[in-house]
Amino acid sequence: FTLIGEGLGNYNLSDVSTINRIYEYVEPIDGQKQGSYEPVIQLNAPTKIQVGGINGAYHPTEKTSIAFEVAGSVNDLNLFSDIDNDDNNGFAGKLKVKQTILKTPETRKLDAFASIDMINEDFRTIERLYSVEFNRDWNLSNPLGDQRYIIGGLDYSDAKIGNFRYEFQNLDYSENFSGNRNVLGLNLKFGNFKIVTTGSTLQSDGSELNSKFFRIHNIASYSFNKSWIGGKLSVEDNQVRAVINDSLTPTSQKFNAYEVFTGLGDSTKVFAEVGYRYRVNDSIRNSELTKVSTSNNIYLKSRILNKPTSQLSVFANYRILKDEDEINEDEKSLNSRLLYNQSFLKNAIRLNTAIETNNGVLPQQEFTYVKVAPGEGI
């Protein structure tokens, strides 16, 4: 029996137990069906998706490179029907240009780059085109229309001190979204001192949502002979507002995290690192971003054994979460993980062991299940 809708069937579900269900026939009244179920199974139409493309590259000079890619897709949701086939075919194209502005014998190099993606709204892919965080980076909810994605920037590298990269990005959907991002990447080393920075700012306008998204993550460390010390600073401020009433949506959030750490050993071989992290979390309260909790974390991560045939690593984290409302008691949680790998007979036999302990991190949850077509659920 299949649920087909109220008043569309001749049967109702009268009894449900763990191992069976009983359906009861309900006689129509004046020819109008009174049930919601019928002894039928809806057949799923066969579908098809095909993607094909051509790509190439051209180097007019040693300092200039041009690359392109064009692709087409066919996405038919019902091979048994010719109805609504006008949106089956889609096309996409990409053009990339890179120009070396400066290049010295001392391995200093400055490149300028640009790219543009043009994607028709009917184009479909088998695999994702962009990173898994793409929608969150742009605060995308339901983009509609043809897509245009433009990137331009500068990339500077120096073999002695590191590299610097800046990107300006523009994303536009023809029907309901337009946004600009500035992206910064920094990886510099001065002797034993190293600093790594990644950050971005977003300003977007849409038919339903507008947003401002700032985030930055910094790591600074100083290395001694067989040890190191350092600190981290992470900030995220994501404010998403509904156009209809200019109010913050529940997806808005903000946090500041401060961390110090120290380690002993060789981080590529055998080592141990301990650290402390303090984090302040803001969430929506009374339609405003308000401080809701703070947390104190102490962690240990180490690789105790690192040989060609055996590796042993340990991680542990202890957290105290304090609610600003002071209604609930402080939540204390301890998480740890032990990983052991061993190989025998020149890797002919491998042993992998993982032990994890989790305490105080998962609240009780309830799940809602949605009925899908037979054979499509788990």
Side-chain angles (χ1 to χ4, degrees):
F1 287 81
T2 300
L3 177 64
I4 60 176
E6 186 176 353
L8 299 178
N10 289 301
Y11 293 83
N12 280 329
L13 187 60
S14 65
D15 185 36
V16 179
S17 68
T18 305
I19 59 175
N20 61 17
R21 297 181 179 184
I22 297 176
Y23 296 89
E24 180 182 8
Y25 176 75
V26 182
E27 186 175 350
I29 298 177
D30 297 330
Q32 177 63 42
K33 297 179 179 180
Q34 302 298 307
S36 303
Y37 290 83
E38 277 291 301
V40 296
I41 296 178
Q42 182 177 353
L43 298 179
N44 296 315
T47 63
K48 177 180 71 173
I49 180 170
Q50 293 178 324
V51 179
I54 300 174
N55 61 73
Y58 174 55
H59 300 271
T61 68
E62 181 183 354
K63 295 183 177 181
T64 306
S65 64
I66 302 172
F68 73 91
E69 182 175 0
V70 292
S73 69
V74 179
N75 183 36
D76 194 336
L77 299 180
N78 187 350
L79 294 178
F80 287 155
S81 173
D82 294 330
I83 300 175
D84 293 332
N85 276 354
D86 295 338
D87 60 354
N88 287 359
N89 300 327
F91 300 92
K94 184 182 186 73
L95 178 65
K96 296 174 62 177
V97 179
K98 185 177 180 180
Q99 176 68 45
T100 299
I101 300 175
L102 173 67
K103 188 174 183 180
T104 67
E106 293 83 11
T107 64
R108 295 178 182 175
K109 188 178 180 183
L110 176 62
D111 292 330
F113 57 88
S115 67
I116 180 170
D117 295 0
M118 302 292 293
I119 302 177
N120 175 254
E121 64 177 335
D122 296 326
F123 181 76
R124 298 292 182 269
T125 60
I126 297 175
E127 299 177 339
R128 67 165 53 97
L129 291 179
Y130 305 112
S131 69
V132 68
E133 288 285 313
F134 185 80
N135 283 4
R136 181 174 184 267
D137 290 341
W138 290 95
N139 281 326
L140 294 176
S141 57
N142 185 30
L144 300 173
D146 298 334
Q147 175 191 311
R148 185 194 68 220
Y149 184 31
I150 300 174
I151 299 176
L154 296 171
D155 190 355
Y156 176 77
S157 61
D158 188 321
K160 295 181 179 180
I161 64 173
N163 65 282
F164 166 87
R165 183 181 180 94
Y166 167 77
E167 292 183 11
F168 172 78
Q169 303 177 356
N170 172 263
L171 179 65
D172 181 85
Y173 287 88
S174 59
E175 294 188 19
N176 67 346
F177 181 88
S178 179
N180 296 314
R181 289 184 78 220
N182 294 277
V183 182
L184 175 69
L186 191 69
N187 190 339
L188 300 177
K189 186 175 183 180
F190 303 96
N192 293 336
F193 179 74
K194 183 177 181 180
I195 181 171
V196 178
T197 297
T198 58
S200 65
T201 62
L202 166 68
Q203 173 76 49
S204 70
D205 299 302
S207 60
E208 297 181 357
L209 301 173
N210 297 330
S211 71
K212 295 181 180 179
F213 191 3
F214 168 79
R215 59 181 170 183
I216 189 167
H217 303 280
N218 301 282
I219 303 175
S221 62
Y222 188 88
S223 300
F224 300 96
N225 186 25
K226 284 294 183 179
S227 61
W228 62 90
I229 60 172
K232 297 181 182 180
L233 169 65
S234 298
V235 178
E236 282 196 11
D237 185 358
N238 190 10
Q239 300 186 27
V240 184
R241 293 185 175 273
V243 174
I244 189 172
N245 56 9
D246 194 34
S247 63
L248 290 172
T249 68
T251 57
S252 302
Q253 58 88 26
K254 178 182 177 181
F255 76 80
N256 299 310
Y258 313 90
E259 181 177 332
V260 292
F261 59 87
T262 182
L264 181 66
D266 187 338
S267 60
T268 62
K269 297 178 181 178
V270 177
F271 74 95
E273 180 180 295
V274 294
Y276 167 76
R277 182 187 306 114
Y278 176 73
R279 174 165 164 156
V280 180
N281 302 300
D282 291 11
S283 189
I284 299 296
R285 296 287 173 86
N286 298 321
S287 301
E288 295 293 337
L289 273 175
T290 306
K291 180 180 176 181
V292 295
S293 65
T294 59
S295 63
N296 294 276
N297 295 262
I298 300 175
Y299 67 85
L300 163 70
K301 57 182 179 180
S302 63
R303 187 178 294 115
I304 302 173
L305 183 64
N306 189 17
K307 296 182 178 180
T309 59
S310 57
Q311 301 85 35
L312 175 63
S313 59
V314 176
F315 171 82
N317 181 83
Y318 178 68
R319 185 186 72 166
I320 301 176
L321 180 66
K322 179 179 177 60
D323 194 335
E324 286 298 304
D325 293 338
E326 297 184 352
I327 299 176
N328 302 318
E329 295 183 1
D330 294 351
E331 179 184 326
K332 300 178 182 180
S333 58
L334 174 64
N335 312 307
S336 62
R337 183 187 308 117
L338 183 147
L339 302 175
Y340 177 66
N341 302 315
Q342 179 73 55
S343 62
F344 307 94
L345 302 177
K346 297 182 179 180
N347 288 329
I349 300 175
R350 296 182 181 181
L351 170 68
N352 301 293
T353 303
I355 301 175
E356 292 189 4
T357 63
N358 298 283
N359 169 259
V361 294
L362 292 177
Q364 180 177 343
Q365 300 182 42
E366 294 184 356
F367 300 89
T368 299
Y369 293 88
V370 179
K371 183 177 177 63
V372 296
E376 293 189 357
I378 57 172

